[in-house]
Amino acid sequence: MKVDFVRFKPSLTYDYDNFVVFDENPKNGEFLKGYVVKARSSKELLQKLRRAKMDWFVGVVGDLNVLKYAVMRWRVDLILDFEGRVLDYSLIKMAREKDVAIEFSFARFLRCRGYERSKLFEEVVETLKVIKKFDTPFVLTSGAENDYELRPKRQILEFFEYLGADVERAESWIERLVRRYTDPNYIMDGLEIVGEDP
Amino acid sequence: MRPELVIAHEWIGLNVEVVKSVNPCEVGIRGKVVDETKNTLKIMTEKGLKTVIKKGRVFRVKFAGKLMDVSGDLINFRPEERIRRGLILLKRGKVRRW
């Protein structure tokens, strides 16, 4: 299943089966709906989480304390990739325990240059090592905000594989996350309805 | 009864089939569960009593009018703890709720 997480309604589809469009006010459309929760405090995070409908993917943006609080909430599905995101060891470990995915977007690399880009490479390589250690759920996406930042799936996977990501594992996490919202026979990991009792 | 409650339900008396296993000889074992321990299920098949380890296996079980695939890792605890641990797993896990 090829699904990408984007921040706009794409007009190009490349080889993707579907898109999850993240927005602060998700609207009905042909794509899956993602709800971006931007919060500066845990109180604001809780208020915004209450607005989330059950068929929305919920992604969180905020500083380290807000992310740590967000990971503990059942409703949160993933930590979005944004400029200035800080992930530490304990957050990644908690994300594993609470089954919250961490997004790595290709678009962040496109938007920066020079020294900033080299620092980003360093940060992502280190984070991927910690994620591999704890087997934390993570997803590899384009994170595009416009059509020019969209890339084919293969290109994104090759890029992050070079940085040390286990791309097969990432694909299994993204499939699991999408099935949770789209597949009526999927209940939880390890529990699925196969058919009716004859 | 909701299908997901199978992991909190009593398994003795249910008809199960092993559909996936790390031991390929176990795939296809089918019968009624007659006993259960923390790590194993004892299944009465046509060929006699078979003891199957829960961990790493996937069991196909009929429950609440549905045919379900249940990972053995989700039921890998003592039967007397089944209700409490199963309900906690459903409450805390990322379960589809709509």
Side-chain angles (χ1 to χ4, degrees):
Chain A
M1 184 188 297
K2 289 183 181 174
V3 178
D4 196 19
F5 292 5
V6 294
R7 314 288 191 263
F8 75 110
K9 283 202 176 135
S11 50
L12 304 168
T13 56
Y14 280 113
D15 51 350
Y16 292 105
D17 299 319
N18 209 337
F19 290 92
V20 179
V21 178
F22 278 91
D23 199 351
E24 288 189 71
N25 295 303
K27 295 174 186 63
N28 288 328
E30 56 185 302
F31 302 117
L32 299 169
K33 292 185 277 263
Y35 178 43
V36 177
V37 177
K38 284 187 188 168
R40 282 171 293 219
S41 67
S42 49
K43 196 173 170 185
E44 191 182 344
L45 173 76
L46 281 176
Q47 277 174 354
K48 290 188 175 179
L49 275 180
R50 275 189 213 114
R51 284 188 55 221
K53 296 207 168 48
M54 290 309 280
D55 61 337
W56 293 355
F57 291 76
V58 175
V60 176
V61 168
D63 64 15
L64 186 61
N65 292 326
V66 169
L67 291 180
K68 282 187 176 173
Y69 192 82
V71 154
M72 306 301 281
R73 309 302 306 176
W74 174 83
R75 194 63 192 89
V76 172
D77 293 313
L78 76 159
I79 298 171
L80 293 172
D81 197 1
F82 57 94
E83 198 179 324
R85 181 177 74 175
V86 174
L87 298 174
D88 71 353
Y89 201 85
S90 58
L91 177 66
I92 294 171
K93 194 174 176 184
M94 267 200 301
R96 175 66 185 117
E97 287 165 18
K98 298 297 177 183
D99 198 15
V100 173
I102 296 173
E103 187 201 25
F104 290 95
S105 72
F106 186 75
R108 248 186 103 191
F109 289 89
L110 295 173
R111 285 180 214 138
C112 58
R113 291 278 182 270
Y115 179 71
E116 204 183 317
R117 189 181 271 183
S118 61
K119 290 300 285 182
L120 182 60
F121 271 111
E122 185 188 0
E123 179 198 316
V124 167
V125 166
E126 288 302 314
T127 309
L128 284 170
K129 280 183 196 165
V130 181
I131 281 176
K132 195 172 183 177
K133 179 185 164 122
F134 291 118
D135 194 27
T136 302
F138 71 104
V139 296
L140 305 173
T141 68
S142 65
E145 290 179 357
N146 53 57
D147 278 326
Y148 302 106
E149 289 179 351
L150 270 179
R151 294 288 186 277
K153 190 76 177 178
R154 194 69 235 157
Q155 190 174 352
I156 296 171
L157 296 182
E158 293 277 353
F159 174 78
F160 283 104
E161 193 173 20
Y162 183 76
L163 297 184
D166 186 347
V167 297
E168 283 171 14
R169 203 86 184 97
E171 285 299 281
S172 71
W173 289 124
I174 205 171
E175 187 185 335
R176 192 168 150 266
L177 186 58
V178 172
R179 279 188 79 195
R180 200 185 288 160
Y181 287 92
T182 58
D183 187 354
N185 292 332
Y186 177 88
I187 300 172
M188 63 188 284
D189 232 17
L191 189 59
E192 289 178 37
I193 297 172
V194 173
E196 297 289 325
D197 187 2
Chain B
M1 197 180 282
R2 289 171 12 225
E4 60 265 26
L5 289 176
V6 68
I7 60 172
H9 195 266
E10 180 63 47
W11 274 51
I12 294 176
L14 289 183
N15 288 315
V16 301
E17 182 187 353
V18 180
V19 293
K20 264 189 217 163
S21 173
V22 289
N23 179 0
C25 300
E26 286 179 353
V27 176
I29 290 178
R30 182 187 303 177
K32 191 174 261 195
V33 177
V34 293
D35 199 7
E36 185 184 354
T37 66
K38 185 183 175 205
N39 293 317
T40 66
L41 286 177
K42 291 197 168 99
I43 302 172
M44 181 57 80
T45 67
E46 288 168 356
K47 294 181 183 175
L49 190 66
K50 304 283 181 190
T51 303
V52 178
I53 297 173
K54 292 177 190 173
K55 199 164 185 168
R57 276 79 174 160
V58 175
F59 300 96
R60 188 160 288 174
V61 61
K62 292 176 190 173
F63 184 77
K66 308 272 183 198
L67 209 56
M68 306 179 62
D69 277 356
V70 183
S71 167
D73 297 322
L74 290 180
I75 54 166
N76 197 28
F77 31 79
R78 288 189 291 245
E80 56 266 26
E81 292 178 345
R82 168 67 45 68
I83 298 173
R84 187 176 68 88
R85 298 272 296 258
L87 290 175
I88 286 172
L89 216 63
L90 288 172
K91 189 179 172 190
R92 290 185 184 170
K94 303 270 182 172
V95 176
R96 187 185 166 92
R97 293 186 185 188
W98 56 282

